[in-house]
Amino acid sequence: MEKVILVRYEEIFLKRSNRNVFENRLIRNIRQRLESLGNIRVTCSQSRIYIEIPDEDFDLVEAVERLKKVFGIASLSIVHKVPTDYEIIKTSAVSIVADLLSRYHYRTFKVESKRADKSFPLNSPQLSADLGAHILRNFPRLKVDVRNPDFVFYIEVRESTYLYSEIIPAAKGLPTGTGGRATLLLSGGIDSPVAGWMIAKRGVEVDAVYFHSPPYTSERAREKVVRLSEILSEWTMGMRLYVAPFTEIQMAIHQKCPQEYLTIIMRRYMMKIAERIARNNGSLALITGEAIGQVASQTMESLLVTNSAVSLPVYRPLIGMDKNEVVSIARHIGTYDTSILPYEDCCTIFVARHPATRPSLEKTLDYESVLDEEQLIAKALEQMETIIV
Ligand code: ATP
Ligand code: MG
């Protein structure tokens, strides 16, 4: 019995004209993610992808963990591939069930059959009934329960026959690289990694920029952001992380602009610098982790003022979400534990006691006009560091 990983993707894409682009990219991404684990063979047939495992030493558990983070995969199964010969199928089924029962206290089951090879003598209901009876004869303590079984024994009869008992849900979304590129404003918080992940899920390649203000933000805060982009990278198939120095800009704003407009002008500078980076790396949009009303700088008035700093579209996938919804995604994608590490910005001198919750765009433009924008931005870009994650 040969072990194969069966990869399913949503068939809805098959109706689209770019079906091949989708499949080829997904196969390429799977190969890339599993490359370091061994010599695998990936084939595509009848809207399924099959990954043939080279040998017994192959780390199947790790492979499944990695595949669960490949966008475009709907679900996975580790399947036993046998020749389409009913005697062999029955023997194999018994040995698979024996193995299952040695590991789990299963009492009830049902068989679910799919017959794609119409030359096979039994149709699907007949096959389910007959194979079910065969399993019962071999394991008298098992019972059939078609409504709520402890396990389902799946059989698919194709050119070969595939036997399995588990369907592992995976990342869904679209294959990375089928959607263009966007640049994420990545802080060390909970929200922005989630925002980046949500856009990446749609097949978008994501690069990130972090604004670092030493000595007001510590080296540990920077390391935290690097770690967050490493975690994100497992989903996004790598990313570039730009670390842009922000201290000088913050100092200038702090010295020359009214306190209550400090945050909003800072946010506008972040957007402007991110936009320059985005235009350079071929991004079609910016991404932030903002949600309406979460903090003073995220009221609708503030968002309007922030948004007006740039002309690229700004994607804010968390805009209508509550914090606990964001947290549950952060846990799911693995960024939460890192995000809550207490190396937050210690630059309290740059946080106004009473930030404007309803800033006006007119005033903002007026206040920031005293700053030498071109020079400040050019310098930040010049001193920016690029990390390939
Ligand atoms: P987060 O949890 O993502 O930090 P937040 O709720 O703390 O978000 P803000 O600090 O107001 O909200 O930031 C709003 C958004 O601005 C963030 O989601 C992120 O996209 C961006 N941002 C904030 N600070 C930085 C930074 N130092 N570097 C890069 N982007 C940042
Ligand atoms: Mg934050």
Side-chain angles (χ1 to χ4, degrees):
M1 254 192 299
E2 192 186 336
K3 265 189 193 168
V4 172
I5 303 174
L6 165 61
V7 171
R8 301 179 194 80
Y9 46 88
E10 303 290 344
E11 303 211 6
I12 184 161
F13 300 113
L14 301 182
K15 298 194 181 76
R16 304 209 310 204
S17 54
N18 58 0
R19 164 186 173 162
N20 280 342
V21 175
F22 173 91
E23 286 173 343
N24 292 340
R25 191 63 195 225
L26 185 54
I27 290 173
R28 196 171 121 191
N29 292 350
I30 289 172
R31 282 211 181 98
Q32 194 181 320
R33 286 299 281 138
L34 299 187
E35 207 167 39
S36 60
L37 292 180
N39 234 330
I40 50 154
R41 215 170 86 86
V42 185
T43 55
C44 186
S45 140
Q46 296 175 324
S47 318
R48 302 291 192 78
I49 292 170
Y50 299 94
I51 304 169
E52 285 168 32
I53 293 158
D55 50 56
E56 282 296 314
D57 295 337
F58 185 80
D59 191 345
L60 204 53
V61 175
E62 174 64 17
V64 167
E65 281 315 302
R66 290 189 191 181
L67 290 170
K68 277 157 88 175
K69 295 182 177 174
V70 173
F71 289 126
I73 299 181
S75 68
L76 301 161
S77 290
I78 296 169
V79 308
H80 299 270
K81 182 179 175 186
V82 299
T84 298
D85 171 321
Y86 198 38
E87 285 313 310
I88 298 177
I89 290 171
K90 283 196 282 193
T91 322
S92 309
V94 168
S95 88
I96 292 167
V97 173
D99 175 58
L100 269 179
L101 296 183
S102 73
R103 288 183 291 131
Y104 303 101
H105 289 288
Y106 288 151
R107 295 226 166 73
T108 59
F109 80 107
K110 73 170 170 181
V111 176
E112 230 168 69
S113 311
K114 199 179 270 175
R115 185 187 59 154
D117 174 2
K118 300 295 175 204
S119 69
F120 192 74
L122 304 175
N123 67 23
S124 300
Q126 287 166 343
L127 179 56
S128 294
D130 199 72
L131 190 61
H134 184 71
I135 291 171
L136 283 175
R137 275 195 297 277
N138 283 273
F139 304 95
R141 278 196 295 189
L142 276 178
K143 283 197 170 67
V144 170
D145 181 347
V146 291
R147 285 244 187 87
N148 188 24
D150 293 342
F151 74 94
V152 179
F153 190 89
Y154 296 94
I155 167 166
E156 296 188 12
V157 182
R158 298 171 185 273
E159 72 296 348
S160 295
T161 293
Y162 300 91
L163 307 170
Y164 57 96
S165 64
E166 198 187 359
I167 297 176
I168 304 161
K172 319 242 169 7
L174 301 174
T176 304
T178 56
R181 183 180 300 278
T183 295
L184 166 70
L185 283 84
L186 179 63
S187 72
I190 296 170
D191 302 329
S192 42
V194 172
W197 179 85
M198 286 178 73
I199 299 302
K201 186 172 186 238
R202 301 305 301 165
V204 176
E205 288 179 279
V206 173
D207 286 332
V209 50
Y210 166 59
F211 296 97
H212 189 38
S213 309
Y216 305 102
T217 50
S218 67
E219 182 55 27
R220 302 241 286 190
R222 180 185 177 281
E223 280 163 16
K224 180 176 159 180
V225 175
V226 172
R227 180 68 199 123
L228 284 172
S229 36
E230 285 168 357
I231 298 168
L232 273 180
S233 274
E234 292 175 19
W235 300 87
T236 62
M237 319 248 344
M239 63 161 59
R240 264 170 294 197
L241 171 65
Y242 308 94
V243 179
F246 206 59
T247 317
E248 206 167 304
I249 293 174
Q250 279 186 316
M251 300 291 271
I253 301 170
H254 181 61
Q255 279 159 15
K256 297 182 179 156
C257 306
Q259 273 296 299
E260 70 274 22
Y261 273 69
L262 207 134
T263 311
I264 197 81
I265 296 175
M266 249 170 53
R267 306 271 313 112
R268 283 171 56 86
Y269 266 82
M270 288 185 184
M271 300 296 271
K272 287 178 197 183
I273 294 171
E275 184 176 52
R276 301 273 187 108
I277 295 168
R279 293 202 189 278
N280 255 315
N281 69 12
S283 286
L284 300 177
L286 301 177
I287 309 166
T288 73
E290 291 157 314
I292 293 174
Q294 205 188 68
V295 287
S297 58
Q298 297 176 28
T299 61
M300 285 189 52
E301 290 85 350
S302 298
L303 289 170
L304 185 150
V305 175
T306 308
N307 212 66
S308 309
V310 292
S311 56
L312 269 185
V314 182
Y315 296 159
R316 298 180 173 89
L318 314 186
I319 197 72
M321 290 172 75
D322 294 343
K323 196 73 183 188
N324 56 355
E325 296 173 297
V326 179
V327 164
S328 74
I329 300 177
R331 286 186 200 279
H332 168 64
I333 68 178
T335 52
Y336 183 74
D337 290 336
T338 302
S339 285
I340 59 170
L341 291 175
Y343 314 130
E344 258 311 327
D345 317 341
C346 48
C347 55
T348 41
I349 61 158
F350 297 125
V351 180
R353 226 167 298 145
H354 301 290
T357 52
R358 291 164 190 263
S360 99
L361 181 57
E362 226 183 348
K363 282 189 192 164
T364 308
L365 294 174
D366 183 35
Y367 294 151
E368 68 181 21
S369 67
V370 300
L371 300 166
D372 187 349
E373 181 177 314
E374 240 349 278
Q375 190 258 338
L376 285 171
I377 291 180
K379 197 160 170 202
L381 287 172
E382 209 179 278
Q383 294 174 353
M384 185 169 76
E385 181 194 354
T386 304
I387 301 171
I388 309 290
V389 186

